[in-house]
Amino acid sequence: MPSLAAFHPQVVHFVVALITVGVLFRWLALWRRAAWLSPAALALVGLGTMASLVAVRSGSDAHGPVERVPGTRPAVVAHEEWGERARNAFLLLLAIEAVAATLAARQYAAARSVQIAAAVAGLVAVGVLYRAGDLGGRLVYGYAGGVAVHTG
């Protein structure tokens, strides 16, 4: 399989946008009765989670070239660990969103409680995403890590 390292910056920006807007829609769905908000939250979190799988893969592919920049190994490892935590948080969030959607479709009273759990889990997931992104930004701007991916 070809290396996805060069696509890592683009893919992670999709993750940031999709997950963040999906979590925002989940919170809005708790306060507004717009029928489209909950399905949109589920769809965006699902797409963002799928993109996070690609982001982790592309980040793993970029790992070697970036580590060749002197002094970057600890920063690369920290970013990689937080990226994997973010992916795992999104997988859990997607599972909660799917349960909420299933309960809502069957009109169970517990759907509202699970939607609230999804909103809270979404905030945690965005917090983990923020930390992973901050560490990635430090790699790019503090060590010129992105240059290593393109030039080797």
Side-chain angles (χ1 to χ4, degrees):
M1 180 176 263
S3 174
L4 299 175
F7 297 106
H8 188 66
Q10 293 88 340
V11 174
V12 297
H13 285 96
F14 275 102
V15 175
V16 169
L18 292 166
I19 294 292
T20 302
V21 176
V23 170
L24 174 65
F25 280 11
R26 167 53 55 218
W27 278 95
L28 287 173
L30 294 176
W31 292 319
R32 304 237 182 228
R33 293 291 176 190
W36 61 273
L37 280 171
S38 283
L42 173 62
L44 291 168
V45 167
L47 290 170
T49 300
M50 286 188 275
S52 77
L53 300 174
V54 177
V56 168
R57 168 65 199 273
S58 63
S60 294
D61 289 351
H63 186 107
V66 175
E67 266 193 15
R68 287 194 284 269
V69 176
T72 60
R73 180 163 171 64
V76 170
V77 169
H79 174 58
E80 183 177 25
E81 289 173 353
W82 278 94
E84 290 170 354
R85 287 179 188 141
R87 177 208 52 211
N88 295 342
F90 304 151
L91 288 167
L92 177 60
L93 174 59
L94 181 58
I96 297 169
E97 283 284 355
V99 169
T102 301
L103 294 176
R106 295 181 181 169
Q107 298 180 341
Y108 287 118
R112 179 84 173 160
S113 297
V114 179
Q115 290 170 342
I116 292 168
V120 172
L123 288 181
V124 172
V126 168
V128 175
L129 174 63
Y130 178 85
R131 182 66 178 142
D134 180 55
L135 291 167
R138 290 173 193 234
L139 270 174
V140 171
Y141 295 106
Y143 297 96
V147 175
V149 172
H150 294 286
T151 64

